[in-house]
Amino acid sequence: AQSVTQLDSQVPVFEEAPVELRCNYSSSVSVYLFWYVQYPNQGLQLLLKYLSGSTLVKGINGFEAEFNKSQTSFHLRKPSVHISDTAEYFCAVSDLHDYKLSFGAGTTVTVRA
Amino acid sequence: DAGVTQSPTHLIKTRGQQVTLRCSPKSGHDTVSWYQQALGQGPQFIFQYYEEEERQRGNFPDRFSGHQFPNYSSELNVNALLLGDSALYLCASSLSSADTQYFGPGTRLTVL
């Protein structure tokens, strides 16, 4: 079984500053990794995913994440945030032979002017 | 191209009642998964349907059941509602079992 730990429950950040959201996972097998964003009162939108290949993954809205197998991490970064990036961010994992996504508890990002 | 749609948007029920939530997958997708998201938490996997059969189930009681129709749309049924069933219920669709899941806007269920 897999599990996901998002190390920061809340991240306040000023507009145009960089942000990093930390995600660690545990699994005994190879995994797929995902980051989703949830805006208030909405469903989940896929930001990016790692399935295989290059460990640096680029997603929508200027986000990127790096898969580190030795540290079992998949941290999300953005070099310059906007007010509109204020949202809840979820890291998720699934293994190659499983069907479900296992989610972390989420990180609330609040961008201030 | 329509994404994943869910109905209704909001629902209020009382304890002991039964509820049915509906989901239409993204065009071309054949697999539907359901998740429960309690307030302030990450989504929890309920079950997944493929070829009209439940393929995998999470740690939820038998009060939670589902169905997938030939057109790949799906229903989630919850019987004997408890206060703790109040949550956002998310439907996700994918082209195949291990592919990326795309989520709908969710149904907010409130049990009084």
Side-chain angles (χ1 to χ4, degrees), chain B residues 38-60:
Chain B
L39 198 61
Q41 298 182 24
Q44 298 292 317
F45 176 77
I46 303 175
F47 42 53
Q48 185 182 85
Y49 277 84
Y50 172 70
E51 292 188 342
E52 302 181 50
E53 291 191 359
E54 181 184 293
R55 179 156 58 178
Q56 186 177 3
R57 188 179 185 90
N59 189 25
F60 279 81

mmCIF file with all atom_site columns, all heavy atoms in Angstrom, chain B residues 38-60:
data_model
loop_
_atom_site.group_PDB
_atom_site.id
_atom_site.type_symbol
_atom_site.label_atom_id
_atom_site.label_alt_id
_atom_site.label_comp_id
_atom_site.label_asym_id
_atom_site.label_entity_id
_atom_site.label_seq_id
_atom_site.pdbx_PDB_ins_code
_atom_site.Cartn_x
_atom_site.Cartn_y
_atom_site.Cartn_z
_atom_site.occupancy
_atom_site.B_iso_or_equiv
_atom_site.pdbx_formal_charge
_atom_site.auth_seq_id
_atom_site.auth_comp_id
_atom_site.auth_asym_id
_atom_site.auth_atom_id
_atom_site.pdbx_PDB_model_num
ATOM 1   N N   . ALA B 1 38 ? -13.746 14.561 2.895   1.00 0.00 ? 38 ALA B N   1
ATOM 2   C CA  . ALA B 1 38 ? -14.275 15.224 4.081   1.00 0.00 ? 38 ALA B CA  1
ATOM 3   C C   . ALA B 1 38 ? -13.620 16.594 4.207   1.00 0.00 ? 38 ALA B C   1
ATOM 4   O O   . ALA B 1 38 ? -12.540 16.853 3.660   1.00 0.00 ? 38 ALA B O   1
ATOM 5   C CB  . ALA B 1 38 ? -14.005 14.384 5.316   1.00 0.00 ? 38 ALA B CB  1
ATOM 6   N N   . LEU B 1 39 ? -14.267 17.475 4.943   1.00 0.00 ? 39 LEU B N   1
ATOM 7   C CA  . LEU B 1 39 ? -13.792 18.851 5.076   1.00 0.00 ? 39 LEU B CA  1
ATOM 8   C C   . LEU B 1 39 ? -12.376 18.889 5.639   1.00 0.00 ? 39 LEU B C   1
ATOM 9   O O   . LEU B 1 39 ? -12.090 18.265 6.664   1.00 0.00 ? 39 LEU B O   1
ATOM 10  C CB  . LEU B 1 39 ? -14.743 19.624 5.987   1.00 0.00 ? 39 LEU B CB  1
ATOM 11  C CG  . LEU B 1 39 ? -14.661 21.145 5.920   1.00 0.00 ? 39 LEU B CG  1
ATOM 12  C CD1 . LEU B 1 39 ? -15.000 21.642 4.524   1.00 0.00 ? 39 LEU B CD1 1
ATOM 13  C CD2 . LEU B 1 39 ? -15.579 21.779 6.950   1.00 0.00 ? 39 LEU B CD2 1
ATOM 14  N N   . GLY B 1 40 ? -11.488 19.576 4.941   1.00 0.00 ? 40 GLY B N   1
ATOM 15  C CA  . GLY B 1 40 ? -10.120 19.734 5.421   1.00 0.00 ? 40 GLY B CA  1
ATOM 16  C C   . GLY B 1 40 ? -9.220  18.535 5.194   1.00 0.00 ? 40 GLY B C   1
ATOM 17  O O   . GLY B 1 40 ? -8.100  18.500 5.726   1.00 0.00 ? 40 GLY B O   1
ATOM 18  N N   . GLN B 1 41 ? -9.675  17.570 4.429   1.00 0.00 ? 41 GLN B N   1
ATOM 19  C CA  . GLN B 1 41 ? -8.874  16.366 4.190   1.00 0.00 ? 41 GLN B CA  1
ATOM 20  C C   . GLN B 1 41 ? -8.679  16.114 2.699   1.00 0.00 ? 41 GLN B C   1
ATOM 21  O O   . GLN B 1 41 ? -9.327  16.735 1.861   1.00 0.00 ? 41 GLN B O   1
ATOM 22  C CB  . GLN B 1 41 ? -9.560  15.156 4.824   1.00 0.00 ? 41 GLN B CB  1
ATOM 23  C CG  . GLN B 1 41 ? -9.713  15.246 6.330   1.00 0.00 ? 41 GLN B CG  1
ATOM 24  C CD  . GLN B 1 41 ? -10.362 14.006 6.907   1.00 0.00 ? 41 GLN B CD  1
ATOM 25  O OE1 . GLN B 1 41 ? -10.314 12.929 6.314   1.00 0.00 ? 41 GLN B OE1 1
ATOM 26  N NE2 . GLN B 1 41 ? -10.982 14.146 8.062   1.00 0.00 ? 41 GLN B NE2 1
ATOM 27  N N   . GLY B 1 42 ? -7.767  15.193 2.398   1.00 0.00 ? 42 GLY B N   1
ATOM 28  C CA  . GLY B 1 42 ? -7.593  14.766 1.022   1.00 0.00 ? 42 GLY B CA  1
ATOM 29  C C   . GLY B 1 42 ? -8.655  13.744 0.639   1.00 0.00 ? 42 GLY B C   1
ATOM 30  O O   . GLY B 1 42 ? -9.266  13.118 1.499   1.00 0.00 ? 42 GLY B O   1
ATOM 31  N N   . PRO B 1 43 ? -8.895  13.582 -0.644  1.00 0.00 ? 43 PRO B N   1
ATOM 32  C CA  . PRO B 1 43 ? -9.892  12.590 -1.084  1.00 0.00 ? 43 PRO B CA  1
ATOM 33  C C   . PRO B 1 43 ? -9.493  11.176 -0.693  1.00 0.00 ? 43 PRO B C   1
ATOM 34  O O   . PRO B 1 43 ? -8.313  10.828 -0.695  1.00 0.00 ? 43 PRO B O   1
ATOM 35  C CB  . PRO B 1 43 ? -9.884  12.762 -2.610  1.00 0.00 ? 43 PRO B CB  1
ATOM 36  C CG  . PRO B 1 43 ? -9.355  14.143 -2.844  1.00 0.00 ? 43 PRO B CG  1
ATOM 37  C CD  . PRO B 1 43 ? -8.355  14.364 -1.763  1.00 0.00 ? 43 PRO B CD  1
ATOM 38  N N   . GLN B 1 44 ? -10.513 10.367 -0.372  1.00 0.00 ? 44 GLN B N   1
ATOM 39  C CA  . GLN B 1 44 ? -10.324 8.957  -0.042  1.00 0.00 ? 44 GLN B CA  1
ATOM 40  C C   . GLN B 1 44 ? -11.041 8.104  -1.088  1.00 0.00 ? 44 GLN B C   1
ATOM 41  O O   . GLN B 1 44 ? -12.209 8.345  -1.397  1.00 0.00 ? 44 GLN B O   1
ATOM 42  C CB  . GLN B 1 44 ? -10.904 8.654  1.342   1.00 0.00 ? 44 GLN B CB  1
ATOM 43  C CG  . GLN B 1 44 ? -10.250 9.421  2.478   1.00 0.00 ? 44 GLN B CG  1
ATOM 44  C CD  . GLN B 1 44 ? -8.822  8.995  2.731   1.00 0.00 ? 44 GLN B CD  1
ATOM 45  O OE1 . GLN B 1 44 ? -8.506  7.812  2.741   1.00 0.00 ? 44 GLN B OE1 1
ATOM 46  N NE2 . GLN B 1 44 ? -7.947  9.966  2.944   1.00 0.00 ? 44 GLN B NE2 1
ATOM 47  N N   . PHE B 1 45 ? -10.354 7.088  -1.599  1.00 0.00 ? 45 PHE B N   1
ATOM 48  C CA  . PHE B 1 45 ? -10.884 6.228  -2.652  1.00 0.00 ? 45 PHE B CA  1
ATOM 49  C C   . PHE B 1 45 ? -12.021 5.356  -2.129  1.00 0.00 ? 45 PHE B C   1
ATOM 50  O O   . PHE B 1 45 ? -11.863 4.666  -1.114  1.00 0.00 ? 45 PHE B O   1
ATOM 51  C CB  . PHE B 1 45 ? -9.743  5.355  -3.176  1.00 0.00 ? 45 PHE B CB  1
ATOM 52  C CG  . PHE B 1 45 ? -10.143 4.341  -4.204  1.00 0.00 ? 45 PHE B CG  1
ATOM 53  C CD1 . PHE B 1 45 ? -10.389 4.728  -5.516  1.00 0.00 ? 45 PHE B CD1 1
ATOM 54  C CD2 . PHE B 1 45 ? -10.233 3.003  -3.876  1.00 0.00 ? 45 PHE B CD2 1
ATOM 55  C CE1 . PHE B 1 45 ? -10.730 3.790  -6.466  1.00 0.00 ? 45 PHE B CE1 1
ATOM 56  C CE2 . PHE B 1 45 ? -10.572 2.057  -4.824  1.00 0.00 ? 45 PHE B CE2 1
ATOM 57  C CZ  . PHE B 1 45 ? -10.821 2.452  -6.122  1.00 0.00 ? 45 PHE B CZ  1
ATOM 58  N N   . ILE B 1 46 ? -13.160 5.388  -2.851  1.00 0.00 ? 46 ILE B N   1
ATOM 59  C CA  . ILE B 1 46 ? -14.299 4.534  -2.471  1.00 0.00 ? 46 ILE B CA  1
ATOM 60  C C   . ILE B 1 46 ? -14.279 3.264  -3.300  1.00 0.00 ? 46 ILE B C   1
ATOM 61  O O   . ILE B 1 46 ? -14.219 2.155  -2.780  1.00 0.00 ? 46 ILE B O   1
ATOM 62  C CB  . ILE B 1 46 ? -15.634 5.277  -2.660  1.00 0.00 ? 46 ILE B CB  1
ATOM 63  C CG1 . ILE B 1 46 ? -15.648 6.575  -1.842  1.00 0.00 ? 46 ILE B CG1 1
ATOM 64  C CG2 . ILE B 1 46 ? -16.803 4.368  -2.240  1.00 0.00 ? 46 ILE B CG2 1
ATOM 65  C CD1 . ILE B 1 46 ? -16.890 7.436  -2.074  1.00 0.00 ? 46 ILE B CD1 1
ATOM 66  N N   . PHE B 1 47 ? -14.385 3.410  -4.622  1.00 0.00 ? 47 PHE B N   1
ATOM 67  C CA  . PHE B 1 47 ? -14.297 2.262  -5.523  1.00 0.00 ? 47 PHE B CA  1
ATOM 68  C C   . PHE B 1 47 ? -14.109 2.742  -6.962  1.00 0.00 ? 47 PHE B C   1
ATOM 69  O O   . PHE B 1 47 ? -14.234 3.917  -7.272  1.00 0.00 ? 47 PHE B O   1
ATOM 70  C CB  . PHE B 1 47 ? -15.494 1.311  -5.442  1.00 0.00 ? 47 PHE B CB  1
ATOM 71  C CG  . PHE B 1 47 ? -16.851 1.944  -5.350  1.00 0.00 ? 47 PHE B CG  1
ATOM 72  C CD1 . PHE B 1 47 ? -17.285 2.891  -6.264  1.00 0.00 ? 47 PHE B CD1 1
ATOM 73  C CD2 . PHE B 1 47 ? -17.713 1.586  -4.322  1.00 0.00 ? 47 PHE B CD2 1
ATOM 74  C CE1 . PHE B 1 47 ? -18.542 3.461  -6.160  1.00 0.00 ? 47 PHE B CE1 1
ATOM 75  C CE2 . PHE B 1 47 ? -18.965 2.150  -4.205  1.00 0.00 ? 47 PHE B CE2 1
ATOM 76  C CZ  . PHE B 1 47 ? -19.382 3.077  -5.128  1.00 0.00 ? 47 PHE B CZ  1
ATOM 77  N N   . GLN B 1 48 ? -13.811 1.756  -7.831  1.00 0.00 ? 48 GLN B N   1
ATOM 78  C CA  . GLN B 1 48 ? -13.636 2.020  -9.260  1.00 0.00 ? 48 GLN B CA  1
ATOM 79  C C   . GLN B 1 48 ? -14.460 1.036  -10.078 1.00 0.00 ? 48 GLN B C   1
ATOM 80  O O   . GLN B 1 48 ? -14.518 -0.160 -9.749  1.00 0.00 ? 48 GLN B O   1
ATOM 81  C CB  . GLN B 1 48 ? -12.168 1.908  -9.673  1.00 0.00 ? 48 GLN B CB  1
ATOM 82  C CG  . GLN B 1 48 ? -11.916 2.292  -11.130 1.00 0.00 ? 48 GLN B CG  1
ATOM 83  C CD  . GLN B 1 48 ? -10.465 2.133  -11.533 1.00 0.00 ? 48 GLN B CD  1
ATOM 84  O OE1 . GLN B 1 48 ? -10.021 1.054  -11.902 1.00 0.00 ? 48 GLN B OE1 1
ATOM 85  N NE2 . GLN B 1 48 ? -9.726  3.229  -11.483 1.00 0.00 ? 48 GLN B NE2 1
ATOM 86  N N   . TYR B 1 49 ? -15.048 1.543  -11.159 1.00 0.00 ? 49 TYR B N   1
ATOM 87  C CA  . TYR B 1 49 ? -15.840 0.719  -12.057 1.00 0.00 ? 49 TYR B CA  1
ATOM 88  C C   . TYR B 1 49 ? -15.221 0.698  -13.446 1.00 0.00 ? 49 TYR B C   1
ATOM 89  O O   . TYR B 1 49 ? -14.787 1.726  -13.978 1.00 0.00 ? 49 TYR B O   1
ATOM 90  C CB  . TYR B 1 49 ? -17.281 1.232  -12.139 1.00 0.00 ? 49 TYR B CB  1
ATOM 91  C CG  . TYR B 1 49 ? -18.123 0.718  -11.006 1.00 0.00 ? 49 TYR B CG  1
ATOM 92  C CD1 . TYR B 1 49 ? -18.116 1.356  -9.772  1.00 0.00 ? 49 TYR B CD1 1
ATOM 93  C CD2 . TYR B 1 49 ? -18.891 -0.428 -11.150 1.00 0.00 ? 49 TYR B CD2 1
ATOM 94  C CE1 . TYR B 1 49 ? -18.861 0.865  -8.718  1.00 0.00 ? 49 TYR B CE1 1
ATOM 95  C CE2 . TYR B 1 49 ? -19.636 -0.924 -10.098 1.00 0.00 ? 49 TYR B CE2 1
ATOM 96  C CZ  . TYR B 1 49 ? -19.614 -0.269 -8.881  1.00 0.00 ? 49 TYR B CZ  1
ATOM 97  O OH  . TYR B 1 49 ? -20.346 -0.759 -7.841  1.00 0.00 ? 49 TYR B OH  1
ATOM 98  N N   . TYR B 1 50 ? -15.215 -0.505 -14.019 1.00 0.00 ? 50 TYR B N   1
ATOM 99  C CA  . TYR B 1 50 ? -14.708 -0.703 -15.374 1.00 0.00 ? 50 TYR B CA  1
ATOM 100 C C   . TYR B 1 50 ? -15.514 -1.834 -15.994 1.00 0.00 ? 50 TYR B C   1
ATOM 101 O O   . TYR B 1 50 ? -15.735 -2.866 -15.347 1.00 0.00 ? 50 TYR B O   1
ATOM 102 C CB  . TYR B 1 50 ? -13.219 -1.042 -15.342 1.00 0.00 ? 50 TYR B CB  1
ATOM 103 C CG  . TYR B 1 50 ? -12.626 -1.440 -16.661 1.00 0.00 ? 50 TYR B CG  1
ATOM 104 C CD1 . TYR B 1 50 ? -12.471 -0.510 -17.674 1.00 0.00 ? 50 TYR B CD1 1
ATOM 105 C CD2 . TYR B 1 50 ? -12.213 -2.757 -16.898 1.00 0.00 ? 50 TYR B CD2 1
ATOM 106 C CE1 . TYR B 1 50 ? -11.919 -0.860 -18.897 1.00 0.00 ? 50 TYR B CE1 1
ATOM 107 C CE2 . TYR B 1 50 ? -11.668 -3.107 -18.109 1.00 0.00 ? 50 TYR B CE2 1
ATOM 108 C CZ  . TYR B 1 50 ? -11.521 -2.167 -19.118 1.00 0.00 ? 50 TYR B CZ  1
ATOM 109 O OH  . TYR B 1 50 ? -10.983 -2.522 -20.316 1.00 0.00 ? 50 TYR B OH  1
ATOM 110 N N   . GLU B 1 51 ? -15.964 -1.642 -17.212 1.00 0.00 ? 51 GLU B N   1
ATOM 111 C CA  . GLU B 1 51 ? -16.789 -2.645 -17.900 1.00 0.00 ? 51 GLU B CA  1
ATOM 112 C C   . GLU B 1 51 ? -17.966 -3.084 -17.024 1.00 0.00 ? 51 GLU B C   1
ATOM 113 O O   . GLU B 1 51 ? -18.274 -4.277 -16.905 1.00 0.00 ? 51 GLU B O   1
ATOM 114 C CB  . GLU B 1 51 ? -15.944 -3.850 -18.330 1.00 0.00 ? 51 GLU B CB  1
ATOM 115 C CG  . GLU B 1 51 ? -14.947 -3.497 -19.416 1.00 0.00 ? 51 GLU B CG  1
ATOM 116 C CD  . GLU B 1 51 ? -14.228 -4.711 -19.987 1.00 0.00 ? 51 GLU B CD  1
ATOM 117 O OE1 . GLU B 1 51 ? -14.229 -5.770 -19.334 1.00 0.00 ? 51 GLU B OE1 1
ATOM 118 O OE2 . GLU B 1 51 ? -13.674 -4.581 -21.095 1.00 0.00 ? 51 GLU B OE2 1
ATOM 119 N N   . GLU B 1 52 ? -18.572 -2.098 -16.395 1.00 0.00 ? 52 GLU B N   1
ATOM 120 C CA  . GLU B 1 52 ? -19.799 -2.275 -15.608 1.00 0.00 ? 52 GLU B CA  1
ATOM 121 C C   . GLU B 1 52 ? -19.608 -3.126 -14.351 1.00 0.00 ? 52 GLU B C   1
ATOM 122 O O   . GLU B 1 52 ? -20.600 -3.562 -13.750 1.00 0.00 ? 52 GLU B O   1
ATOM 123 C CB  . GLU B 1 52 ? -20.924 -2.859 -16.476 1.00 0.00 ? 52 GLU B CB  1
ATOM 124 C CG  . GLU B 1 52 ? -21.245 -2.001 -17.697 1.00 0.00 ? 52 GLU B CG  1
ATOM 125 C CD  . GLU B 1 52 ? -22.365 -2.573 -18.538 1.00 0.00 ? 52 GLU B CD  1
ATOM 126 O OE1 . GLU B 1 52 ? -23.428 -2.918 -17.979 1.00 0.00 ? 52 GLU B OE1 1
ATOM 127 O OE2 . GLU B 1 52 ? -22.190 -2.671 -19.765 1.00 0.00 ? 52 GLU B OE2 1
ATOM 128 N N   . GLU B 1 53 ? -18.361 -3.319 -13.933 1.00 0.00 ? 53 GLU B N   1
ATOM 129 C CA  . GLU B 1 53 ? -18.103 -4.097 -12.731 1.00 0.00 ? 53 GLU B CA  1
ATOM 130 C C   . GLU B 1 53 ? -17.222 -3.306 -11.773 1.00 0.00 ? 53 GLU B C   1
ATOM 131 O O   . GLU B 1 53 ? -16.351 -2.531 -12.200 1.00 0.00 ? 53 GLU B O   1
ATOM 132 C CB  . GLU B 1 53 ? -17.445 -5.427 -13.081 1.00 0.00 ? 53 GLU B CB  1
ATOM 133 C CG  . GLU B 1 53 ? -18.372 -6.393 -13.806 1.00 0.00 ? 53 GLU B CG  1
ATOM 134 C CD  . GLU B 1 53 ? -17.787 -7.784 -13.890 1.00 0.00 ? 53 GLU B CD  1
ATOM 135 O OE1 . GLU B 1 53 ? -16.659 -7.998 -13.411 1.00 0.00 ? 53 GLU B OE1 1
ATOM 136 O OE2 . GLU B 1 53 ? -18.467 -8.659 -14.462 1.00 0.00 ? 53 GLU B OE2 1
ATOM 137 N N   . GLU B 1 54 ? -17.414 -3.545 -10.490 1.00 0.00 ? 54 GLU B N   1
ATOM 138 C CA  . GLU B 1 54 ? -16.553 -2.941 -9.490  1.00 0.00 ? 54 GLU B CA  1
ATOM 139 C C   . GLU B 1 54 ? -15.220 -3.679 -9.516  1.00 0.00 ? 54 GLU B C   1
ATOM 140 O O   . GLU B 1 54 ? -15.154 -4.875 -9.214  1.00 0.00 ? 54 GLU B O   1
ATOM 141 C CB  . GLU B 1 54 ? -17.197 -3.035 -8.103  1.00 0.00 ? 54 GLU B CB  1
ATOM 142 C CG  . GLU B 1 54 ? -16.366 -2.391 -7.002  1.00 0.00 ? 54 GLU B CG  1
ATOM 143 C CD  . GLU B 1 54 ? -16.991 -2.582 -5.627  1.00 0.00 ? 54 GLU B CD  1
ATOM 144 O OE1 . GLU B 1 54 ? -18.068 -2.023 -5.365  1.00 0.00 ? 54 GLU B OE1 1
ATOM 145 O OE2 . GLU B 1 54 ? -16.385 -3.314 -4.807  1.00 0.00 ? 54 GLU B OE2 1
ATOM 146 N N   . ARG B 1 55 ? -14.164 -2.938 -9.811  1.00 0.00 ? 55 ARG B N   1
ATOM 147 C CA  . ARG B 1 55 ? -12.868 -3.595 -9.978  1.00 0.00 ? 55 ARG B CA  1
ATOM 148 C C   . ARG B 1 55 ? -12.022 -3.525 -8.709  1.00 0.00 ? 55 ARG B C   1
ATOM 149 O O   . ARG B 1 55 ? -11.237 -4.421 -8.451  1.00 0.00 ? 55 ARG B O   1
ATOM 150 C CB  . ARG B 1 55 ? -12.118 -2.979 -11.140 1.00 0.00 ? 55 ARG B CB  1
ATOM 151 C CG  . ARG B 1 55 ? -10.741 -3.593 -11.352 1.00 0.00 ? 55 ARG B CG  1
ATOM 152 C CD  . ARG B 1 55 ? -10.283 -3.413 -12.756 1.00 0.00 ? 55 ARG B CD  1
ATOM 153 N NE  . ARG B 1 55 ? -10.230 -2.017 -13.123 1.00 0.00 ? 55 ARG B NE  1
ATOM 154 C CZ  . ARG B 1 55 ? -9.808  -1.604 -14.322 1.00 0.00 ? 55 ARG B CZ  1
ATOM 155 N NH1 . ARG B 1 55 ? -9.437  -2.466 -15.232 1.00 0.00 ? 55 ARG B NH1 1
ATOM 156 N NH2 . ARG B 1 55 ? -9.789  -0.330 -14.616 1.00 0.00 ? 55 ARG B NH2 1
ATOM 157 N N   . GLN B 1 56 ? -12.166 -2.430 -7.974  1.00 0.00 ? 56 GLN B N   1
ATOM 158 C CA  . GLN B 1 56 ? -11.398 -2.286 -6.743  1.00 0.00 ? 56 GLN B CA  1
ATOM 159 C C   . GLN B 1 56 ? -12.200 -1.441 -5.778  1.00 0.00 ? 56 GLN B C   1
ATOM 160 O O   . GLN B 1 56 ? -12.934 -0.535 -6.206  1.00 0.00 ? 56 GLN B O   1
ATOM 161 C CB  . GLN B 1 56 ? -10.038 -1.638 -7.013  1.00 0.00 ? 56 GLN B CB  1
ATOM 162 C CG  . GLN B 1 56 ? -9.130  -1.584 -5.777  1.00 0.00 ? 56 GLN B CG  1
ATOM 163 C CD  . GLN B 1 56 ? -7.767  -1.013 -6.068  1.00 0.00 ? 56 GLN B CD  1
ATOM 164 O OE1 . GLN B 1 56 ? -7.481  -0.585 -7.179  1.00 0.00 ? 56 GLN B OE1 1
ATOM 165 N NE2 . GLN B 1 56 ? -6.907  -1.010 -5.068  1.00 0.00 ? 56 GLN B NE2 1
ATOM 166 N N   . ARG B 1 57 ? -12.049 -1.727 -4.484  1.00 0.00 ? 57 ARG B N   1
ATOM 167 C CA  . ARG B 1 57 ? -12.815 -1.031 -3.466  1.00 0.00 ? 57 ARG B CA  1
ATOM 168 C C   . ARG B 1 57 ? -11.889 -0.563 -2.359  1.00 0.00 ? 57 ARG B C   1
ATOM 169 O O   . ARG B 1 57 ? -10.945 -1.264 -1.977  1.00 0.00 ? 57 ARG B O   1
ATOM 170 C CB  . ARG B 1 57 ? -13.876 -1.969 -2.888  1.00 0.00 ? 57 ARG B CB  1
ATOM 171 C CG  . ARG B 1 57 ? -14.860 -1.296 -1.948  1.00 0.00 ? 57 ARG B CG  1
ATOM 172 C CD  . ARG B 1 57 ? -15.891 -2.283 -1.448  1.00 0.00 ? 57 ARG B CD  1
ATOM 173 N NE  . ARG B 1 57 ? -16.899 -1.602 -0.644  1.00 0.00 ? 57 ARG B NE  1
ATOM 174 C CZ  . ARG B 1 57 ? -18.016 -1.081 -1.131  1.00 0.00 ? 57 ARG B CZ  1
ATOM 175 N NH1 . ARG B 1 57 ? -18.298 -1.205 -2.402  1.00 0.00 ? 57 ARG B NH1 1
ATOM 176 N NH2 . ARG B 1 57 ? -18.871 -0.457 -0.347  1.00 0.00 ? 57 ARG B NH2 1
ATOM 177 N N   . GLY B 1 58 ? -12.146 0.619  -1.876  1.00 0.00 ? 58 GLY B N   1
ATOM 178 C CA  . GLY B 1 58 ? -11.409 1.133  -0.738  1.00 0.00 ? 58 GLY B CA  1
ATOM 179 C C   . GLY B 1 58 ? -12.048 0.688  0.563   1.00 0.00 ? 58 GLY B C   1
ATOM 180 O O   . GLY B 1 58 ? -12.937 -0.176 0.589   1.00 0.00 ? 58 GLY B O   1
ATOM 181 N N   . ASN B 1 59 ? -11.639 1.292  1.653   1.00 0.00 ? 59 ASN B N   1
ATOM 182 C CA  . ASN B 1 59 ? -12.091 0.890  2.979   1.00 0.00 ? 59 ASN B CA  1
ATOM 183 C C   . ASN B 1 59 ? -13.395 1.606  3.348   1.00 0.00 ? 59 ASN B C   1
ATOM 184 O O   . ASN B 1 59 ? -13.427 2.432  4.262   1.00 0.00 ? 59 ASN B O   1
ATOM 185 C CB  . ASN B 1 59 ? -10.997 1.194  4.010   1.00 0.00 ? 59 ASN B CB  1
ATOM 186 C CG  . ASN B 1 59 ? -11.308 0.603  5.357   1.00 0.00 ? 59 ASN B CG  1
ATOM 187 O OD1 . ASN B 1 59 ? -12.032 -0.374 5.456   1.00 0.00 ? 59 ASN B OD1 1
ATOM 188 N ND2 . ASN B 1 59 ? -10.775 1.220  6.397   1.00 0.00 ? 59 ASN B ND2 1
ATOM 189 N N   . PHE B 1 60 ? -14.438 1.280  2.658   1.00 0.00 ? 60 PHE B N   1
ATOM 190 C CA  . PHE B 1 60 ? -15.760 1.846  2.914   1.00 0.00 ? 60 PHE B CA  1
ATOM 191 C C   . PHE B 1 60 ? -16.760 0.717  3.135   1.00 0.00 ? 60 PHE B C   1
ATOM 192 O O   . PHE B 1 60 ? -16.654 -0.341 2.527   1.00 0.00 ? 60 PHE B O   1
ATOM 193 C CB  . PHE B 1 60 ? -16.210 2.713  1.725   1.00 0.00 ? 60 PHE B CB  1
ATOM 194 C CG  . PHE B 1 60 ? -15.610 4.090  1.749   1.00 0.00 ? 60 PHE B CG  1
ATOM 195 C CD1 . PHE B 1 60 ? -14.321 4.316  1.295   1.00 0.00 ? 60 PHE B CD1 1
ATOM 196 C CD2 . PHE B 1 60 ? -16.331 5.172  2.237   1.00 0.00 ? 60 PHE B CD2 1
ATOM 197 C CE1 . PHE B 1 60 ? -13.754 5.579  1.342   1.00 0.00 ? 60 PHE B CE1 1
ATOM 198 C CE2 . PHE B 1 60 ? -15.778 6.442  2.279   1.00 0.00 ? 60 PHE B CE2 1
ATOM 199 C CZ  . PHE B 1 60 ? -14.489 6.639  1.827   1.00 0.00 ? 60 PHE B CZ  1
#
